Amino acid sequence: MDHKKGHYKVADLGLASEGKRLIAWAESRMPVLMALQEKYGKTKPLKGYRIAGCLHVTKETAVLVKTLVGAGAEVSWSGCNPLSTNDSVAAALAAAGVSVFAWHGMDVKAFYWCIQETLRFKPNLTLDDGADLIFTIHNKRKDLIPHMIGGTEETTTGVHRLRAMAKAGALKYPVIAVNDAETKWDFDNVYGTGQSTLDGILRATSVLLSGKNVVVAGYGHCGKGVALRAKGLGANVIVTEVKPTAALKATLDGMRVLEMDEAAGIGDVFITATGVKDIIIARHFKMMKDGAIVCNTGHYDCEINLTDLAKVSKSVSEMRPNNEQYILKNGNRIYVLAKGRLVNLAAAEGHPSEVMDMSFANQFMSQIRLARSDERGKKLENRVHDIPVEQDQEIAGLKLSTMGLAIDTLTPAQKKYQDDYSAGT
Ligand code: RBV
């Protein structure tokens, strides 16, 4: 079947009006992206470009999609996680004529089918979260590569994968690492993940976090955000790490650092945020206290080994949405949230709109940068590229002004002093 404009597959088109209201709510919290929408809606720098996107179908993503379409792009979209699609948002996008393939609760086969569907219109730009779209193109649709101008990548795990591909000489078109922008990873990864992860845990459990032993695996930007927020709610936070500097930072931030083998028997709530597989495995489950809660906020669902958990359990049943009770052979109960998938997107609504405002402003500006590179006949090199420093400062400046905050400016004399290496005491 050839690509048909506006072709889509969503759970229920009848949910569109609810989705429209959610998107309007997000728009009211995303002033930077809305300013870009207004500005580039006039000049249409993406006219003639076809963007395939693979990123959580949330109300914030819908604002990004509308901004891309408003700037002239043709867009085809899939979700980047089987449990993160908001069905009403997907319906609203489909009703607005966007080619979208996403529904909540799909299986892995359907997940890759959706990605393949978005490739029917032969995109020349890609927008990824996790690199599954780029990887599918490199593996299954090599025919598209010669026409590809470039792509953008949203998340740490995706950037990691792409750098590994580039190192192995396997990356066949340029990609911009949106994740590595200061206005992305110092905000989205820390404050976004911090708040949304606890939001997901609370919606799935409604437990009191104050006084609980909360074990956070990984003290990168995401783990740090989660640990700080849990601490703020009165939890005793324990961090597990493999990197000495990260463990040291956690210690000096007031966290207790332990090996997982020790933390397993102490924790009440476990949150994995490492990007690495097998963080919690069979022997840890066996050490856990009765009633322990286990969840993950890393991009993929490999951090908690659920195959191991099934092996040491005698039964599984759903307790409440996004919360499954495993009864272990030793009689203890362990509760797994959102099937070990990103708890913040599966059990809550993902990061708050206010932080996605900056992440998606970076996505949008990076897509424009790629389109311009094409117009100038200067395609970027086939590697992973950083965001220009000026773009970061521009987005941060815009965000500050929408918050009504002003900052100082250096005087010419101060600037001169800054660059004067001969000035001392
Ligand atoms: N993320 N998106 C949302 N509300 O649309 N929430 C989180 C949203 C992104 C975030 O940028 C992170 O890097 C990625 O999801 C992990 O898959």
Side-chain angles (χ1 to χ4, degrees):
M1 189 182 71
D2 282 336
H3 171 73
K4 284 200 210 86
K5 220 174 165 194
H7 180 52
Y8 64 84
K9 186 167 163 64
V10 298
D12 178 3
L13 205 56
L15 299 171
S17 63
E18 184 188 322
K20 260 178 94 170
R21 281 195 299 277
L22 284 175
I23 297 167
W25 172 252
E27 284 173 340
S28 77
R29 315 276 123 187
M30 301 178 84
V32 176
L33 200 54
M34 293 308 283
L36 295 174
Q37 198 178 100
E38 160 115 31
K39 179 174 172 191
Y40 291 100
K42 292 181 188 127
T43 52
K44 307 230 177 283
L46 293 175
K47 196 164 184 325
Y49 291 96
R50 294 182 306 281
I51 304 173
C54 179
L55 197 153
H56 309 292
V57 178
T58 62
K59 57 192 188 306
E60 291 77 21
T61 300
V63 183
L64 171 62
V65 170
K66 284 176 72 176
T67 309
L68 293 167
V69 171
E74 205 187 322
V75 165
S76 193
W77 215 267
S78 68
C80 67
N81 184 291
L83 294 186
S84 67
T85 296
N86 182 314
D87 284 329
S88 58
V89 169
L93 284 173
V98 175
S99 201
V100 52
F101 303 88
W103 59 95
H104 188 93
M106 58 173 55
D107 61 22
V108 173
K109 194 168 158 227
F111 176 81
Y112 285 105
W113 177 84
C114 288
I115 291 182
Q116 291 276 7
E117 285 302 295
T118 66
L119 298 177
R120 282 185 188 279
F121 80 146
K122 300 192 171 63
N124 45 19
L125 290 165
T126 56
L127 192 158
D128 254 285
D129 180 339
D132 284 328
L133 174 60
I134 292 187
F135 198 69
T136 303
I137 290 174
H138 278 69
N139 252 344
K140 302 249 163 68
R141 289 296 306 269
K142 292 190 177 72
D143 58 302
L144 296 175
I145 291 175
H147 314 286
M148 214 48 96
I149 299 161
T152 54
E153 170 55 53
E154 172 77 6
T155 205
T156 318
T157 297
V159 171
H160 226 87
R161 269 180 101 178
L162 292 165
R163 287 201 200 284
M165 272 174 88
K167 201 170 164 198
L171 184 66
K172 301 297 179 201
Y173 65 87
V175 187
I176 300 177
V178 169
N179 177 73
D180 296 1
E182 209 180 333
T183 43
K184 198 283 182 180
W185 112 335
D186 270 353
F187 299 91
D188 169 314
N189 301 31
V190 183
Y191 307 100
T193 310
Q195 181 168 317
S196 63
T197 300
L198 294 187
D199 187 9
I201 294 170
L202 294 178
R203 291 193 204 195
T205 63
S206 82
V207 294
L208 177 73
L209 283 177
S210 190
K212 291 274 193 310
N213 293 332
V214 171
V215 179
V216 180
Y219 205 71
H221 279 62
C222 295
K224 178 182 173 151
V226 173
L228 288 173
R229 291 294 167 265
K231 200 174 176 204
L233 281 170
N236 307 308
V237 181
I238 296 165
V239 167
T240 69
E241 250 302 340
V242 290
K243 195 174 167 187
T245 48
L248 205 52
K249 283 179 193 166
T251 308
L252 268 64
D253 282 341
M255 315 294 166
R256 184 175 172 199
V257 173
L258 292 176
E259 289 169 309
M260 185 57 89
D261 278 340
E262 202 177 335
I266 300 172
D268 298 302
V269 180
F270 293 81
I271 306 162
T272 54
T274 68
V276 176
K277 70 174 191 169
D278 290 341
I279 299 302
I280 300 181
I281 56 175
R283 69 171 188 275
H284 301 131
F285 292 121
K286 287 193 205 157
M287 293 171 190
M288 282 181 193
K289 296 197 282 195
D290 181 33
I293 294 166
V294 180
C295 65
N296 164 56
T297 197
H299 187 79
Y300 289 112
D301 61 340
C302 57
E303 304 202 20
I304 302 166
N305 192 323
L306 291 181
T307 311
D308 271 14
L309 181 55
K311 275 187 203 148
V312 298
S313 299
K314 55 186 182 195
S315 72
V316 192
S317 57
E318 185 170 348
M319 289 303 282
R320 42 186 281 158
N322 291 307
N323 184 337
E324 279 178 323
Q325 172 182 260
Y326 284 74
I327 302 190
L328 270 58
K329 289 174 186 156
N330 67 14
N332 282 351
R333 293 160 297 180
I334 289 179
Y335 298 92
V336 176
L337 310 186
K339 297 190 181 296
R341 294 200 181 269
L342 290 156
V343 71
N344 56 341
L345 279 136
E349 291 174 65
H351 300 355
S353 311
E354 289 88 341
V355 284
M356 296 316 295
D357 192 20
M358 290 195 286
S359 308
F360 288 165
N362 276 303
Q363 280 287 3
F364 181 68
M365 294 310 296
S366 301
Q367 290 287 328
I368 290 185
R369 178 176 163 204
L370 289 169
R372 283 192 179 140
S373 75
D374 172 56
E375 273 151 24
R376 293 182 184 141
K378 283 192 183 154
K379 212 181 131 180
L380 301 184
E381 273 174 57
N382 284 358
R383 60 178 175 84
V384 179
H385 295 260
D386 283 333
I387 297 267
V389 187
E390 308 79 55
Q391 181 178 313
D392 245 337
Q393 295 308 327
E394 190 187 332
I395 289 173
L398 265 173
K399 186 73 178 174
L400 280 171
S401 69
T402 64
M403 294 164 87
L405 299 173
I407 57 172
D408 293 326
T409 315
L410 291 179
T411 62
Q414 284 175 310
K415 274 195 192 144
K416 191 162 170 258
Y417 172 82
Q418 238 185 354
D419 296 335
D420 182 1
Y421 59 82
S422 68
T425 306

